[in-house]
Amino acid sequence: MSEDSYVTLSTGEILPIKVLYERYGRFDKRATLKDVFVDSMDPSLLNIKDMKAVYVWKLKSNKLIRVSLRNGFEVSTTPEHPFYTLSELGLLEAIRASDLTPGVYVAVPSLLKSVGLELDEVKARIIERLSERDYYLIYLLEPFASSIATTLSQRGIKAVWRSIGSKLDYESFRQGVRLGRYRLKDLLCIAQLIGLNKSMLYDAIDVLLYRSSLKRFGRQSKRIHLPKTIDEFKAMMYALGLLYGDGTTRASLTNTNLRILFRFKQALLKAFNVDSRVVSGKTSVRVDHYGGLTLIKFFEDLFSYHSFKKSKKLVLSDLLTAMRDDLVAEFLKGLFDTDGTVNKRSRSVSITSASKELIDQLSILLIRFGIVSTKYKKGRYFVLSISGRDLKTFRSRIGFTLPNKNKLLRRFSRLTASNRVADIVPISPKVLSALRISLGLPRTIRGFPYYSKYEYGLQRINRVALGKIVKVFSEALNELSYLSIKASILERCCNEVTYSTLIGECKLDSNRLNGLLASLKSDKLIKIKDGKISVTDTGREALSIWKHLLRGSSVQKENIEQILDAWRKLASG
């Protein structure tokens, strides 16, 4: 794969493979991975499962092949890289990238079941990430602050100061211990020294603030509280989504919708205990927060949110994509509330961005919710679109908070059926017809009025239709009484027979016999000439299969069951 190709980890992280390599083997051609599980396709089960990755190789290739799909997904790989496509029977088979041709369907995941970090793990990662910077200062809550101070006094404050290698002078450090105030980087070192849990340390923090100076009386920025509960984290993620959509300089929010602005104010207050004000401009309204540089740097360091000229720089950070689905859903809700559009003409939900990386990552992130989107370029911008039955999934898993958008989404999600790009299953009409005939079914199936269109190639098979086909065919395979009657008629026609003779031997009323003969003739299993009925070569082949099924032949039945099982997995996605 090319270095910018994305890899999805079982934690939910969406990383360019180059980043994964640099984490573990920057200076070697082969990086050895430790406890890294990636999303990998299981061809036998036709789904995605966690697979432990052992190595990432960095090799030079003289030739890469770019594979582009109709829905805008693309990847560059070496010629021998395998893709999965369907045979004429609708069975999965591997094919080299170099052997792919235009028009071939390839398998893509419709669901990524990411584990996601639990809240305590998220808190630990936040502590780790923020402590990489020298400028974060925290105050601890009581009685935790006194407990830490006592422990340090017992160990010797000066000895601890030297042990952790603090950049503060000793007097500033000692005074901080007395006040329950620490540089976050120092506090993390202290926690490691005394064996303190990181998530517990996070919960013990009263306020966080930004201060660039290491001097005792350095200027402090505004204080913010850190989100602690699940509801506070949801508020933070929703606010972040709004900023990704309509955030401006210094993490302010500009929008013409007062409901969105009010929700942003509420989210900041709930997540960070930060107040804000509404400022009216000539063409829009802006919300400015009172979180100062502390809040700005918090979003920047944790989520790669750029408050200046952000549009082309927006990406999804590894922390964001590693969070639980309910937290990620809040981020997406905020993003679509601001930047999302419900298109009446195309009955779709779309989002537009100047950042190609953001759209690429979003298209993968949405698969975690069972949403397969379409991407395309429009001028200087990149568009992600959700349509078909994926609208229903979007509505139930993410949705909008805005009534007008929700109303349109509700209407269109009821009207749309399948996704015209991602839901198509390229099973040959000839194969469909052959399997139906093998089961003795007529082309006109009761309860399935449009089935014949799929056999005639007038309509492409989607996953919903395939599910119905599998159901009908499976029932026919398990109930062979109808097949027994057709086999009896076909066998009598092996030698030319007249209609009057046939009706006497079969002991069927004329209406039913006429219907069965019409079905056999339509499938070219018999021919009628000069009042005589005889079996065609195709009919003799069908009769042979029917006899094996009626005798309980396990081989014939297993072959059909194998095909139907593969189709069932395709239909379920």
Side-chain angles (χ1 to χ4, degrees):
M1 302 172 69
S2 61
E3 63 179 18
D4 58 349
S5 296
Y6 287 105
V7 176
T8 57
L9 307 188
S10 59
T11 58
E13 293 173 80
I14 304 169
L15 303 172
I17 195 168
K18 177 184 178 181
V19 173
L20 187 64
Y21 167 79
E22 290 177 345
R23 277 188 184 180
Y24 297 96
R26 181 174 243 167
F27 304 107
D28 300 315
K29 287 185 177 180
R30 187 182 73 176
T32 303
L33 307 181
K34 297 179 180 179
D35 298 324
V36 175
F37 289 82
V38 299
D39 293 318
S40 180
M41 183 172 177
D42 185 337
S44 61
L45 297 176
L46 226 61
N47 62 12
I48 303 297
K49 68 177 185 180
D50 295 337
M51 184 74 73
K52 187 173 183 178
V54 181
Y55 301 113
V56 177
W57 296 80
K58 183 180 181 180
L59 303 172
K60 289 185 179 180
S61 177
N62 296 325
K63 184 179 182 182
L64 288 176
I65 295 176
R66 174 173 291 178
V67 179
S68 299
L69 305 184
R70 187 183 170 191
N71 67 345
F73 285 50
E74 62 180 23
V75 64
S76 295
T77 71
T78 53
E80 65 273 9
H81 187 87
F83 287 83
Y84 286 96
T85 185
L86 292 181
S87 67
E88 282 194 355
L89 286 176
L91 303 178
L92 207 65
E93 60 182 14
I95 184 172
R96 289 165 51 100
S98 58
D99 294 331
L100 289 172
T101 56
V104 171
Y105 285 81
V106 297
V108 295
S110 59
L111 180 65
L112 296 174
K113 295 182 179 179
S114 302
V115 177
L117 299 175
E118 290 301 324
L119 209 56
D120 285 345
E121 295 173 301
V122 173
K123 292 175 179 179
R125 284 211 184 183
I126 289 176
I127 286 288
E128 292 169 357
R129 192 66 55 84
L130 295 181
S131 65
E132 293 173 359
R133 309 293 183 177
D134 288 323
Y135 44 65
Y136 285 112
L137 190 69
I138 62 95
Y139 281 86
L140 293 174
L141 291 165
E142 288 293 354
F144 195 85
S146 297
S147 176
I148 290 289
T150 301
T151 301
L152 296 187
S153 295
Q154 291 171 349
R155 287 175 173 260
I157 294 177
K158 198 162 194 175
V160 172
W161 170 72
R162 286 172 176 165
S163 176
I164 65 174
S166 175
K167 292 184 179 180
L168 290 174
D169 61 75
Y170 173 66
E171 283 304 315
S172 296
F173 181 81
R174 186 178 66 83
Q175 185 71 2
V177 173
R178 186 179 68 82
L179 297 173
R181 180 193 67 203
Y182 298 86
R183 290 277 170 180
L184 185 55
K185 178 174 282 190
D186 289 348
L187 185 61
L188 184 59
C189 291
I190 291 170
Q192 292 170 342
L193 187 67
I194 64 178
L196 190 63
N197 182 281
K198 291 174 186 175
S199 64
M200 187 182 296
L201 179 66
Y202 179 98
D203 287 332
I205 294 174
D206 183 17
V207 292
L208 175 80
L209 56 98
Y210 170 88
R211 188 171 76 175
S212 59
S213 172
L214 291 177
K215 296 180 181 179
R216 181 186 299 180
F217 301 109
R219 184 181 175 185
Q220 297 181 5
S221 182
K222 300 291 183 180
R223 301 182 180 193
I224 67 172
H225 288 267
L226 295 178
K228 303 288 177 66
T229 67
I230 188 64
D231 286 339
E232 290 169 355
F233 268 93
K234 285 182 177 180
M236 176 189 75
M237 296 302 289
Y238 180 71
L240 180 65
L242 294 176
L243 287 173
Y244 263 64
D246 283 342
T248 59
T249 303
R250 298 182 64 83
S252 296
L253 185 74
T254 299
N255 200 284
T256 56
N257 190 304
L258 295 180
R259 187 185 293 268
I260 285 181
L261 298 176
F262 178 70
R263 287 186 179 278
F264 183 62
K265 284 173 62 66
Q266 281 185 316
L268 291 181
L269 190 60
K270 186 169 188 175
F272 304 104
N273 198 28
V274 167
D275 207 349
S276 54
R277 62 172 183 161
V278 177
V279 181
S280 296
K282 292 182 179 180
T283 57
S284 62
V285 184
R286 188 179 75 248
V287 172
D288 291 338
H289 61 79
Y290 293 117
L293 268 177
T294 306
L295 188 59
I296 294 170
K297 289 293 184 181
F298 179 89
F299 282 132
E300 184 179 311
D301 293 334
L302 289 181
F303 302 107
S304 303
Y305 175 80
H306 298 273
S307 58
F308 295 94
K309 298 180 179 179
K310 71 177 179 70
S311 59
K312 292 184 179 180
K313 301 176 183 178
L314 283 177
V315 295
L316 302 180
S317 73
D318 55 350
L319 177 62
L320 190 160
T321 56
M323 287 190 177
R324 291 169 18 176
D325 284 354
D326 56 344
L327 296 178
V328 174
E330 289 299 314
F331 166 78
L332 292 171
K333 193 189 298 289
L335 179 60
F336 277 89
D337 269 354
T338 47
D339 265 7
T341 302
V342 184
N343 305 294
K344 296 181 181 179
R345 187 174 181 180
S346 59
R347 294 180 182 175
S348 64
V349 170
S350 64
I351 190 166
T352 303
S353 176
S355 170
K356 181 181 185 298
E357 289 75 15
L358 177 64
I359 294 298
D360 286 342
Q361 288 179 305
L362 279 176
S363 66
I364 299 172
L365 187 64
L366 286 169
I367 299 176
R368 280 173 57 174
F369 298 89
I371 300 169
V372 180
S373 58
T374 299
K375 302 181 296 179
Y376 58 92
K377 190 175 182 182
K378 188 176 182 180
R380 295 182 293 111
Y381 295 93
F382 302 88
V383 182
L384 179 147
S385 177
I386 303 167
S387 61
R389 71 174 183 173
D390 291 297
L391 283 178
K392 295 179 181 179
T393 310
F394 177 82
R395 181 187 165 199
S396 63
R397 299 293 305 276
I398 300 169
F400 299 104
T401 65
L402 302 180
N404 58 330
K405 288 186 178 181
N406 256 332
K407 185 178 179 180
L408 286 173
L409 176 61
R410 190 182 306 112
R411 191 202 330 169
F412 295 149
S413 62
R414 289 172 180 170
L415 295 174
T416 52
S418 62
N419 186 313
R420 296 177 182 177
V421 176
D423 278 346
I424 300 302
V425 184
I427 294 174
S428 166
K430 290 182 179 179
V431 170
L432 200 62
S433 176
L435 191 56
R436 175 187 58 77
I437 291 172
S438 296
L439 293 168
L441 287 169
R443 185 177 285 111
T444 304
I445 298 175
R446 184 180 299 176
F448 201 165
Y450 301 109
Y451 168 80
S452 59
K453 289 187 176 181
Y454 299 115
E455 270 200 23
Y456 287 129
L458 300 176
Q459 192 166 319
R460 292 186 294 178
I461 303 171
N462 57 46
R463 288 193 289 174
V464 175
L466 184 60
K468 293 180 181 179
I469 292 169
V470 170
K471 184 176 183 295
V472 171
F473 284 12
S474 296
E475 289 173 353
L477 183 61
N478 294 321
E479 178 52 63
L480 300 176
S481 57
Y482 183 74
L483 180 64
S484 177
I485 297 171
K486 293 187 77 172
S488 174
I489 295 172
L490 200 58
E491 189 165 19
R492 284 179 169 84
C493 295
C494 285
N495 297 316
E496 285 188 339
V497 63
T498 62
Y499 178 80
S500 58
T501 303
L502 192 60
I503 197 169
E505 292 179 355
C506 292
K507 297 180 182 179
L508 296 172
D509 64 75
S510 59
N511 287 334
R512 189 173 187 192
L513 179 59
N514 290 339
L516 290 169
L517 290 175
S519 174
L520 293 170
K521 185 179 179 183
S522 173
D523 288 329
K524 298 180 181 179
L525 304 183
I526 63 171
K527 59 184 178 181
I528 302 174
K529 186 176 181 181
D530 298 330
K532 293 183 179 181
I533 307 168
S534 59
V535 178
T536 63
D537 291 339
T538 305
R540 293 183 188 279
E541 292 175 7
L543 182 59
S544 175
I545 295 172
W546 293 354
K547 284 182 176 180
H548 280 95
L549 287 175
L550 291 168
R551 290 170 188 162
S553 169
S554 59
V555 176
Q556 288 289 349
K557 189 172 182 180
E558 285 174 5
N559 288 341
I560 295 174
E561 283 177 339
Q562 180 185 3
I563 295 172
L564 291 179
D565 186 54
W567 289 6
R568 189 177 292 109
K569 291 172 183 176
L570 286 172
S572 64

